[in-house]
Amino acid sequence: MKLFHLADLHLGKSVYEHDLIEDQRHVLNAVVEAAIQEQPACVIVAGDVFDRAVPSAEAVTLLGDFIAGLKHADPTITVAMIPGNHDSAARLSYLAPVLAGVNVHIASDAEACDHPVVVERDGERARLWMLPFLTPGALYQPAETVHPDERVALRSQADLFAEALRRILL
C-alpha cells in the first residue's frame, strides 16, 4: 500500500515580505500529479498545514484546491490531516464531520486519538492513529487513577503523549 506523507506545509508563509503562495501552489500541484501517477491509498498531511492559527484566505483556498485536486484525481483516496502547533485545530477542522463522509479526515480532538482512520486499497488495510499537536490540558489523567471529581489535566508533552499512547494501545 502506498502512502504519501507531507508535513510542515506552512501554507500562507512569507519570507522577507515575499509571499510563497504561488510556490506552494506549484508544489501542491506537483503532489497531485505524483498522486495521479503513483495512486497512493492515502495522503497524510502531518502538522503545520498553515503558517499561522488564522491563515490568510489565499492559504485556505490553496488547501481547498489541493484537496479537491486529489479527490478529483482519485475519489477513493484518503486524505488525513493532523493539525500542528502553528494551526488552530478548531479552525482547520470546522467541516471535519462533513469531510469525513468523503474520506477526508482531520484530527482535531486529542480525545479521539484512539479512533483510527482505516485506509483500504486493493485488499490491504492500514490503520492511522492521528494525534494532533497536544496543547496543555488536551488530555486528562486516566479516570481509574484519580477520583472522578478530581480530573487532572495533563500539562507536559511527555505526560500528554504517554496518555495518548496508553489510550491507543488499550
Side-chain angles (χ1 to χ4, degrees), residues 36-117:
I36 291 168
Q37 295 298 314
E38 297 295 327
Q39 300 180 338
C42 181
V43 174
I44 302 165
V45 181
D48 293 344
V49 177
F50 295 114
D51 193 53
R52 58 185 76 93
V54 182
S56 68
E58 294 83 8
V60 173
T61 299
L62 179 57
L63 178 64
D65 291 346
F66 172 59
I67 293 171
L70 288 170
K71 296 302 281 184
H72 178 74
D74 179 358
T76 68
I77 197 168
T78 299
V79 178
M81 281 195 294
I82 305 165
N85 64 316
H86 282 243
D87 300 308
S88 165
R91 282 188 173 91
L92 184 61
S93 66
Y94 84 101
L95 280 178
V98 174
L99 292 172
V102 293
N103 221 10
V104 176
H105 303 276
I106 304 168
S108 61
D109 181 7
E111 290 282 344
C113 68
D114 58 341
H115 302 293
V117 170

Side-chain angles (χ1 to χ4, degrees), residues 15-27:
V15 176
Y16 297 110
E17 298 182 28
H18 174 72
D19 188 358
L20 299 178
I21 204 85
E22 289 308 316
D23 299 300
Q24 293 170 330
R25 183 180 322 283
H26 176 76
V27 169

